[in-house]
Amino acid sequence: MSPEHTAQSALAAFDKVVSAAGDFRSRPGQRLMAERVAQTFAEATLGKMENEDDTPLRSIAVIQAGTGVGKSLAYCAPAIAVALARKTRVLISTATVALQEQLVTKDLPALAALMDEPFRFGLAKGRGRYVCKLKLSRLAGEGGADDDDMFADELAAASFVRHDEEARMLQYASLARDLTSAAWDGDRDNLAQQPDADIWQPIAAEASSCTGKHCPAFNGCTYFEKRKELVGAQVIVANHDLLLSTLGTRTLPELDKFSTAMDLSRLGWIDTLASRAKRIGSLMGVSEVADVGRYASQLKQTLEDIAKTVSTLYAEVLREPPSAFGPARVRLPKGELPPALVEPLGMVSVMAESFLGVLNDIAKALRAEMKDAPNEARRLSVLYAQLGMLSPRLESVHATAQLLLKESQPPVAKWFTLAETDGRVQIKACASPILPGSTLRHQLWAQVRAAVVTSATLTSCGEFDFFLKETGLKDDEATTTLEVVSPFDYATQGQFVTVQTLADPRNASAFVAEMVLALVRDLADVQHGALCLFTSRDQMRQAVLALPDALRPKVLVQGDLPRIRLMQQHRERVGAGEVSIIFGMQSFGEGLDLPGQLCETVFIAKLPFASPDDPVGESRAEWLRGVGRDPFSELVVPATAIKLAQWAGRAIRTETDKSFVYCYDRRLSDTSYGQRLLQGLPPFARLRKDAQGRVLA
């Protein structure tokens, strides 16, 4: 079948679904998007090639489709139709759990019922979302223990754990009972109450400690049972984190880590790992374990020496009190390491690599023994897990040392942090590339044959350039762009109000005080539901403190309740005819769908510029200035434009919504870059007011 015919058939499948579905409505913009999706997948070389020496045809579409276009149907129907015709699969990767749930519980079931050719779909989650039954049984006291329990190191770090051991054991015992009785299926997301990270991490399934089919708990393993459900699925729904974490498998290219870090202070795990390696390696007859003691000793000593050197070199900066953005931090200008750290880091890299080599030899021996002696699988799996629990830390040390030693243009961002917890000092070394687009271009997109990237907010200040550069798709000949406008009449349905404060937003204390007064005044006019978005916790805290007694019970503050409960309570209040106002941080500005009366007004406290304390952003800006470019214009303004458009996009979600957006940052109207930001917003009717609420010309 020719690409043209394949595209026509895929578009015909879309048209049939639209005409057959009562709840699906045809929209011109939606069909335009579906046409581009069908064309994109049809013209690419999909599936197995007859001649492997041929160069496959690639096709990538970047589509900005405004709210209300109906993106899910526009990309699902034609993509699935092409995949079924070419006998391949569709992977849908989303940024939010909410969209995953919408696809799996609503959109895909409806689509499967309407398309001529049936298809199966499944939800893919990362391994860490599922419990490891073997770990849970041991921590719950069901699996026995030995002198070197696999969790001893984790439980010993009491000052860094918020739960005492007795409370942890009781919680693990409760989880084990629920799992055994089938009251819980082993999926973290299906727990009635989400456990804290320090409770979940020791029982989470991990690739490094998993022996797969050799594990005695394999037949009832939640993770592998869920994996089986995906075997026959033609459509797999995942999220971006999982997609990136699976790069390097059989089906996707390997991708270097974007950032790495290593702890220079808490090093007891090295001795524990060495002890386990020597004991288990000796049992397996691995001769290389004779060198483990030397590798571990030199590694630990060198890391301690690096910590002392860092403390001496940067004592003044690292001893400063933590800021609102995190622990004390020192960034290395131009990514240049002090000479005193070069040789020690080289030693760390060599010792870590050698240590990892021995661990790999032990792991191979364990897997071979499991295969030869299946009756010993449980004991061997525990030994494998004991190594696997700590080996990722060694891998992080190796990766961080290598990245810190790397010299390149553009440079690598490198920094150290210092934090104190219960009187204990913790120094970390961190590193990250500053241009993710370059890595994505060479290691992801170059090997992707067909993809559609879509969102309501991909352009910045009216252009795709910033997104294409950031994702590595700029100047890719296989990439096309398309903008599909929203069907909403923003000028009639909504109004964007810029409030002119007297205080300069750059003067934080004066601005926040004035902004809060204006915000509280405007909140009094809310009739149903509203959303207030803040760029810092201090802003939100001061706004909460300024609320009058009559208004405070109507406000739901992010962090006071789990997100699901908070949203449920908001919907219940508005449904009952009450006023309900959500106070949230930046994460609430993305992905929330509050149509109609649930969100009749969005209040934006301040322009959502990126944190001024981001070491990667600082390093990138430093490099751009060094080559004569303007980081504010190239990076800060475009990134802020996308985020502002996302925040304002919470206001109007359907054709019948009427909504206001208030922004209390006068820079929108007083600066040239503010005008650029306004260009990237939907075409709301615009109004300016002063801080007292008077309309300005």
Side-chain angles (χ1 to χ4, degrees):
M1 187 182 296
S2 68
E4 292 78 12
H5 188 253
T6 300
Q8 290 172 2
S9 297
L11 194 58
F14 164 82
D15 289 336
K16 185 172 183 179
V17 169
V18 171
S19 61
D23 56 343
F24 284 138
R25 289 176 293 115
S26 177
R27 306 176 179 97
Q30 186 185 54
R31 194 177 192 281
L32 177 64
M33 178 177 172
E35 186 175 355
R36 177 63 62 89
V37 173
Q39 177 185 347
T40 298
F41 286 112
E43 65 187 17
T45 304
L46 301 178
K48 189 175 182 180
M49 299 175 61
E50 294 182 4
N51 187 350
E52 295 184 358
D53 293 331
D54 291 343
T55 301
L57 296 176
R58 298 171 57 248
S59 184
I60 299 172
V62 177
I63 304 173
Q64 174 169 293
T67 305
V69 166
K71 291 184 284 294
S72 296
L73 176 61
Y75 63 71
C76 282
I80 293 170
V82 173
L84 293 174
R86 299 280 182 87
K87 293 180 170 50
T88 187
R89 297 199 207 191
V90 177
L91 172 66
I92 303 174
S93 178
T94 75
T96 65
V97 174
L99 182 52
Q100 279 184 289
E101 293 173 347
Q102 176 187 317
L103 286 166
V104 172
T105 62
K106 180 183 175 184
D107 296 342
L108 289 173
L111 192 57
L114 294 171
M115 291 187 70
D116 287 341
E117 188 171 352
F119 65 89
R120 292 177 57 190
F121 57 88
L123 176 63
K125 296 183 181 181
R127 193 189 299 251
R129 305 304 297 178
Y130 301 105
V131 73
C132 170
K133 291 188 175 182
L134 189 64
K135 294 179 183 178
L136 180 60
S137 68
R138 289 178 65 80
L139 278 177
E142 300 174 357
D146 54 37
D147 293 335
D148 183 19
D149 189 76
M150 72 176 85
F151 306 111
D153 183 66
E154 284 71 19
L155 297 179
S159 64
F160 291 88
V161 176
R162 294 194 301 273
H163 300 80
D164 61 64
E165 186 171 348
E166 183 179 358
R168 289 167 66 99
M169 297 308 105
L170 289 173
Q171 188 162 355
Y172 291 140
S174 175
L175 290 173
R177 285 194 300 271
D178 288 346
L179 194 61
T180 302
S181 66
W184 175 47
D185 63 358
D187 184 337
R188 177 177 180 172
D189 296 326
N190 292 336
L191 286 169
Q193 185 172 353
Q194 290 295 298
D196 290 337
D198 64 297
I199 290 288
W200 179 258
Q201 192 277 330
I203 61 172
E206 295 177 299
S208 61
S209 59
C210 179
T211 57
K213 63 182 180 180
H214 302 299
C215 176
F218 176 74
N219 288 333
C221 176
T222 305
Y223 171 69
F224 282 103
E225 288 299 315
K226 295 295 183 182
R227 285 283 299 272
K228 290 178 185 177
E229 296 176 5
L230 299 177
V231 171
Q234 288 89 15
V235 182
I236 296 175
V237 180
N239 59 43
H240 299 337
D241 287 341
L242 177 59
L243 174 64
L244 291 175
S245 71
T246 56
L247 297 177
T249 64
R250 291 182 301 121
T251 55
L252 291 167
E254 183 177 358
L255 188 69
D256 292 339
K257 289 184 177 180
F258 284 106
S259 62
T260 62
M262 62 179 175
D263 193 333
L264 301 175
S265 304
R266 293 189 297 163
L267 303 176
W269 64 270
I270 297 177
D271 294 329
T272 304
L273 182 57
S275 174
R276 295 176 184 180
K278 286 188 285 187
R279 176 171 56 82
I280 298 170
S282 297
L283 288 172
M284 293 294 103
V286 178
S287 59
E288 289 82 0
V289 296
D291 295 319
V292 163
R294 177 170 60 87
Y295 298 152
S297 176
Q298 291 188 15
L299 177 63
K300 184 178 179 182
Q301 183 61 56
T302 307
L303 289 171
E304 289 174 347
D305 292 343
I306 291 173
K308 292 176 184 176
T309 302
V310 170
S311 297
T312 302
L313 288 173
Y314 308 111
E316 186 175 342
V317 177
L318 291 177
R319 288 295 177 182
E320 292 179 356
S323 70
F325 302 102
R329 174 183 59 78
V330 60
R331 184 181 62 84
L332 305 185
K334 300 180 181 179
E336 295 175 353
L337 277 176
L341 293 178
V342 175
E343 185 176 342
L345 283 168
M347 176 65 73
V348 167
S349 178
V350 171
M351 290 298 104
E353 185 174 5
S354 301
F355 199 165
L356 284 169
V358 177
L359 294 181
N360 287 332
D361 291 337
I362 299 172
K364 289 178 183 177
L366 281 168
R367 289 194 294 268
E369 185 69 12
M370 290 177 203
K371 185 177 181 181
D372 295 339
N375 58 316
E376 291 289 311
R378 183 176 187 88
R379 181 179 66 87
L380 295 170
S381 292
V382 170
L383 297 179
Y384 193 97
Q386 287 177 349
L387 292 179
M389 285 291 292
L390 295 177
S391 60
R393 300 190 192 183
L394 186 58
E395 292 170 353
S396 292
V397 167
H398 181 245
T400 305
Q402 287 195 315
L403 201 51
L404 286 169
L405 289 165
K406 186 175 181 179
E407 296 181 0
S408 62
Q409 286 298 326
V412 171
K414 304 170 186 179
W415 69 100
F416 299 98
T417 64
L418 182 146
E420 283 194 44
T421 305
D422 295 336
R424 296 181 60 177
V425 174
Q426 183 182 22
I427 298 177
K428 285 187 177 181
C430 313
S432 173
I434 64 173
L435 294 180
S438 176
T439 303
L440 289 168
R441 182 186 310 115
H442 294 107
Q443 299 190 43
L444 173 62
W445 299 121
Q447 300 181 59
V448 169
R449 296 187 188 176
V452 170
V453 183
T454 185
S455 173
T457 50
L458 295 179
T459 62
S460 178
C461 307
E463 303 289 339
F464 280 101
D465 285 8
F466 178 72
F467 178 82
L468 295 176
K469 289 177 182 176
E470 291 295 286
T471 55
L473 291 172
K474 181 71 173 174
D475 299 324
D476 186 330
E477 294 181 354
T479 300
T480 62
T481 61
L482 173 68
E483 183 173 1
V484 181
V485 298
S486 170
F488 301 159
D489 184 354
Y490 283 96
T492 301
Q493 292 180 244
Q495 187 173 70
F496 192 97
V497 181
T498 304
V499 179
Q500 301 280 115
T501 59
L502 295 175
D504 189 327
R506 291 172 294 185
N507 183 345
S509 59
F511 168 76
V512 172
E514 186 177 358
M515 177 274 294
V516 164
L517 290 176
L519 172 64
V520 170
R521 182 200 64 236
D522 293 331
L523 288 176
D525 296 330
V526 173
Q527 299 297 310
H528 300 98
L531 174 65
C532 298
L533 296 169
F534 301 90
T535 59
S536 76
R537 291 199 176 278
D538 184 62
Q539 285 177 7
M540 188 164 71
R541 180 186 62 81
Q542 292 195 46
V544 171
L545 292 175
L547 292 171
D549 292 341
L551 194 56
R552 179 62 185 92
K554 302 174 183 178
V555 174
L556 298 169
V557 182
Q558 180 182 359
D560 287 355
L561 293 171
R563 180 166 171 154
I564 294 177
R565 279 190 57 199
L566 185 147
M567 300 308 301
Q568 180 181 3
Q569 193 166 334
H570 176 73
R571 289 186 170 90
E572 289 173 353
R573 286 181 175 184
V574 175
E578 302 173 13
V579 172
S580 182
I581 302 167
I582 297 174
F583 275 20
M585 300 286 291
Q586 303 203 27
S587 62
F588 274 42
E590 304 171 22
L592 280 189
D593 189 19
L594 299 171
Q597 294 183 342
L598 291 173
C599 185
E600 291 186 331
T601 311
V602 174
F603 298 97
I604 299 173
K606 193 177 183 181
L607 288 175
F609 288 112
S611 166
D613 204 45
D614 170 30
V616 178
E618 287 180 358
S619 297
R620 190 171 178 185
E622 177 185 62
W623 172 68
L624 286 173
R625 284 191 294 268
V627 294
R629 291 156 65 181
D630 179 12
F632 186 77
S633 179
E634 286 193 36
L635 298 179
V636 177
V637 172
T640 304
I642 290 177
K643 185 157 289 186
L644 182 63
Q646 290 173 335
W647 288 18
R650 300 310 99 205
I652 296 178
R653 310 300 297 174
T654 72
E655 290 93 335
T656 58
D657 285 358
K658 299 283 187 178
S659 189
F660 292 89
V661 180
Y662 281 76
C663 181
Y664 297 87
D665 198 318
R666 72 184 196 187
R667 291 173 292 186
L668 269 178
S669 54
D670 289 355
T671 64
S672 58
Y673 66 80
Q675 297 303 309
R676 289 177 60 193
L677 296 176
L678 288 172
Q679 290 174 8
L681 293 176
F684 292 105
R686 293 179 187 168
L687 187 69
R688 288 195 312 141
K689 292 184 178 182
D690 64 18
Q692 285 70 47
R694 295 184 292 257
V695 176
L696 301 174

